[in-house]
Amino acid sequence: MAGITDITIEVLEALSPLVIFFIFFQLRYLKLPSFEVIKVLIGMLMTAVGMILFLYGVYNGFFPIGFKIGEFFGSIEQMWILIPIGFILGFLATFAEPAVRVLCYQIEKSSSGYIRSKLMLYTLSFGVAVFVAIAMVKIVYGIPFLYIIVPGYLLALVLLWLSDKDFIGIAFDAGGVATGPMAVTFLMSMVVGMASSHSERDAVVDGFGLIAMIALAPIIFVMLLGIYVKYKRR
């Protein structure tokens, strides 16, 4: 388990170049008023505190509990049960992801309500759920990762030509947003725990690759939604 001191040092190492960068530009070019500088520094302080608390919770909460849950589910005899469990957890993790909700809100706002935020939220959640379930199939039946990710990206390339152009940029941004704290900290640790619970499985080979699949899921499903919208327009 990571201690609060180690995490604080990590956060300070990460943020100190940004602080130095801001101070340099403030002294040489920006010349912001003192109250603006104070606001920026307070914001940086709040960011540091937030990152420390978040990372402490991740290292000492999400990672261990996700790994233990994965070990529990991976030890059951009926391995096929992992597939619907993965679907449900993938849907809930994406549905609860704050960054996904912010993106969906921004899409509705930018499109003047044409693309509803709830439609995007359910599309992203369903897409990630499907790919997490596929990741469980990969673990259960030992399917090589390349057999999944290569056809997936080939499909994405085909959809680029068929989808409505308004949805292409949204799709690739959604792929980055879906791989947020919920997916990386909880789902990945759970899948690694599942792979680790089997002596015939390699935790590195079978446990990793989930985040790449989660990033691919919104790209495919949002562009499929774009094809549907394009068809309806005609």
Side-chain angles (χ1 to χ4, degrees), residues 120 124 166-176 215 218-220 222-223:
M120 288 301 304
L124 296 178
D166 294 336
F167 286 80
I168 294 176
I170 295 173
F172 282 88
D173 278 349
I219 296 174
I220 291 177
V222 171
M223 286 198 289

Side-chain angles (χ1 to χ4, degrees), residues 80-108:
W80 63 269
I81 296 179
L82 297 177
I83 300 171
I85 289 175
F87 181 90
I88 294 172
L89 291 178
F91 184 92
L92 294 177
T94 308
F95 196 79
E97 184 67 62
V100 170
R101 291 180 174 269
V102 171
L103 176 68
C104 294
Y105 169 76
Q106 291 292 336
I107 291 171
E108 180 175 348

Side-chain angles (χ1 to χ4, degrees), residues 96 146 164 176 182 221 228 234:
L146 289 177
D164 186 277
M182 293 295 292
F221 277 81
Y228 172 76
R234 292 180 177 177

Side-chain angles (χ1 to χ4, degrees), residues 21-121:
F21 191 76
F22 167 73
I23 292 174
F24 172 77
F25 270 82
Q26 168 63 18
L27 295 176
R28 292 293 301 271
Y29 304 107
L30 297 178
K31 308 296 184 180
L32 295 175
S34 58
F35 70 92
E36 289 288 349
V37 175
I38 293 173
K39 286 171 60 177
V40 172
L41 295 177
I42 291 175
M44 290 181 176
L45 177 62
M46 294 176 66
T47 300
V49 173
M51 289 181 64
I52 291 169
L53 294 176
F54 171 74
L55 291 175
Y56 187 79
V58 165
Y59 291 145
N60 297 280
F62 265 20
F63 275 162
I65 196 64
F67 191 84
K68 291 296 182 183
I69 291 174
E71 282 187 327
F72 171 77
F73 283 124
S75 62
I76 60 179
E77 295 182 3
Q78 295 80 11
M79 292 289 292
W80 63 269
I81 296 179
L82 297 177
I83 300 171
I85 289 175
F87 181 90
I88 294 172
L89 291 178
F91 184 92
L92 294 177
T94 308
F95 196 79
E97 184 67 62
V100 170
R101 291 180 174 269
V102 171
L103 176 68
C104 294
Y105 169 76
Q106 291 292 336
I107 291 171
E108 180 175 348
K109 183 179 178 181
S110 300
S111 65
S112 300
Y114 177 71
I115 306 175
R116 297 292 183 181
S117 62
K118 285 191 175 181
L119 174 62
M120 288 301 304
L121 179 61

